[in-house]
């Protein structure tokens, strides 16, 4: 494989969950811009300190900052045979920058997997989400629970709840998504690379639908 897969969709549509599964199957890195930004906030870097207030409010971090973080990550050697990215691009400016970065790296855009879900399903998913800071695994207290309460199955780290998973911030994240990111659906739709997937089914059913879409079914 020498291509890039992009996961696009509203908060809680399952981008991170499905991107991780696809990366395990294709054996290429899974890059989550949200994870990169949260790590920068935890580490207290200049980028993290700039991003924190935007993330806590559910707003987008400025384009030049996300573009520079994404560019730095895609240039690493583990991406040379392709990668899977979720949460980038999210604006038209980021999409334009992404196209240039792919050209510079000699990587083709394989598919944009656009996962949809109704808002009420998203809100119930986010309230039960638990995440692992160490390995990035994502669980749900009801739909996808870890074997041991609040402990990561993969690495044994204690799970945590994200600061932006409150009802008020979730509403802002949705309206920001509709205003800034939905225009990308039209853009990639025109390119013929967009694959729309109903994300309201179970994790396994969504994974199967993504695999079938990849086989052109
Ligand atoms: P980010 O972390 O990317 O948040 P998001 O886009 O709001 O998406 P989520 O992570 O909430 O949802 P997801 O679709 O990945 O779902 P998940 O698989 O986790 O970004 C956070 C913030 O960072 C942004 O608000 C912004 O401030 C900043 N940022 C990031 N990228 C940026 C960019 N490019 N530009 C500017 N700013 C940027 O699943 C959710 C829950 O549902 C989990 O509990 C999971 O177990 C469960 N679940 C998943 N699938 C299913 C299923 N099929 N059935 C039942 N439960 C399921």
């Amino acid at each position: 494989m020498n291509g890039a897969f992009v996961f696009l969709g509203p908060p809680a549509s399952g981008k991170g969950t499905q991107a991780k599964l696809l990366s395990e199957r294709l054996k290429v890195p899974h890059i989550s811009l949200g994870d990169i930004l949260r790590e920068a906030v935890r580490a207290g870097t200049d980028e993290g300190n700039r991003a924190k207030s935007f993330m806590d409010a559910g707003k987008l971090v400025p384009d030049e900052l996300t573009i520079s973080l994404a560019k730095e990550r895609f240039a690493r050697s583990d991406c040379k045979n392709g990668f899977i990215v979720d949460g980038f691009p999210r604006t038209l400016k980021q999409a334009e920058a992404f196209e240039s970065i792919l050209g510079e790296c000699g990587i083709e855009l394989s598919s944009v997997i656009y996962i949809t879900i109704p808002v009420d399903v998203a809100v119930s998913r986010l309230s039960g989400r638990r995440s692992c800071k160490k390995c990035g695994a994502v669980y749900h207290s009801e739909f996808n629970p870890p074997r041991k309460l609040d402990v990561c199955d993969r690495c044994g780290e204690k799970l945590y709840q994200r600061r932006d998973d409150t009802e008020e911030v979730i509403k802002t994240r949705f309206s920001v998504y509709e205003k800034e990111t939905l225009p990308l659906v039209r853009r990639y739709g025109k390119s013929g690379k967009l694959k729309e997937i109903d994300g309201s089914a179970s994790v396994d059913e969504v994974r199967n639908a993504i695999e079938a879409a990849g086989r052109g079914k």
Side-chain angles (χ1 to χ4, degrees):
M1 178 191 150
N2 187 18
F5 287 78
V6 170
F7 278 79
L8 192 67
S13 52
K15 302 181 294 297
T17 301
Q18 295 297 334
K20 200 164 259 309
L21 290 170
L22 188 62
S23 99
E24 284 162 7
R25 187 164 72 82
L26 298 180
K27 298 190 177 21
V28 291
H30 163 215
I31 297 164
S32 155
L33 245 292
D35 285 350
I36 290 175
L37 287 163
R38 278 183 288 279
E39 185 48 45
V41 171
R42 269 196 292 276
T45 62
D46 289 348
E47 289 98 337
N49 293 337
R50 273 189 68 201
K52 186 174 184 306
S53 60
F54 293 98
M55 296 174 77
D56 285 350
K59 298 187 175 154
L60 291 185
V61 172
D63 282 334
E64 44 62 56
L65 181 50
T66 46
I67 291 168
S68 123
L69 286 169
K71 192 170 179 179
E72 187 272 323
R73 181 63 188 90
F74 299 147
R76 290 200 208 154
S77 60
D78 63 340
C79 289
K80 70 177 188 309
N81 292 322
F83 55 83
I84 290 162
V85 59
D86 91 76
F88 184 88
R90 275 189 212 227
T91 64
L92 287 169
K93 200 165 171 198
Q94 291 180 19
E96 284 160 12
F98 185 53
E99 277 153 34
S100 309
I101 298 169
L102 288 179
E104 285 162 24
C105 300
I107 289 181
E108 199 188 322
L109 178 61
S110 296
S111 293
V112 176
I113 299 159
Y114 168 44
I115 311 186
T116 59
I117 45 160
V119 179
D120 56 330
V121 178
V123 172
S124 94
R125 282 187 186 177
L126 290 181
S127 57
R129 169 161 59 189
R130 298 291 180 274
S131 311
C132 177
K133 275 181 193 159
K134 198 169 166 193
C135 73
V138 177
Y139 302 87
H140 190 280
S141 49
E142 187 185 340
F143 309 130
N144 180 24
R147 286 192 290 275
K148 194 170 161 201
L149 183 70
D150 285 344
V151 175
C152 181
D153 290 348
R154 292 165 189 238
C155 69
E157 184 79 5
K158 193 168 171 15
L159 301 178
Y160 82 108
Q161 186 163 22
R162 274 172 43 176
R163 291 165 62 95
D164 57 349
D165 280 350
T166 62
E167 205 173 326
E168 197 191 333
V169 179
I170 292 168
K171 278 189 203 144
T172 307
R173 284 160 62 198
F174 258 92
S175 58
V176 168
Y177 167 78
E178 281 170 1
K179 181 162 176 265
E180 305 283 351
T181 309
L182 261 185
L184 297 189
V185 172
R186 284 187 287 280
R187 182 186 179 98
Y188 288 120
K190 280 187 205 149
S191 76
K193 305 227 166 169
L194 193 80
K195 303 199 186 304
E196 184 167 342
I197 305 286
D198 174 9
S200 55
S202 72
V203 171
D204 282 347
E205 285 167 321
V206 175
R207 185 195 54 205
N208 291 341
I210 291 170
E211 286 184 19
R215 293 192 299 269
K217 288 181 189 165

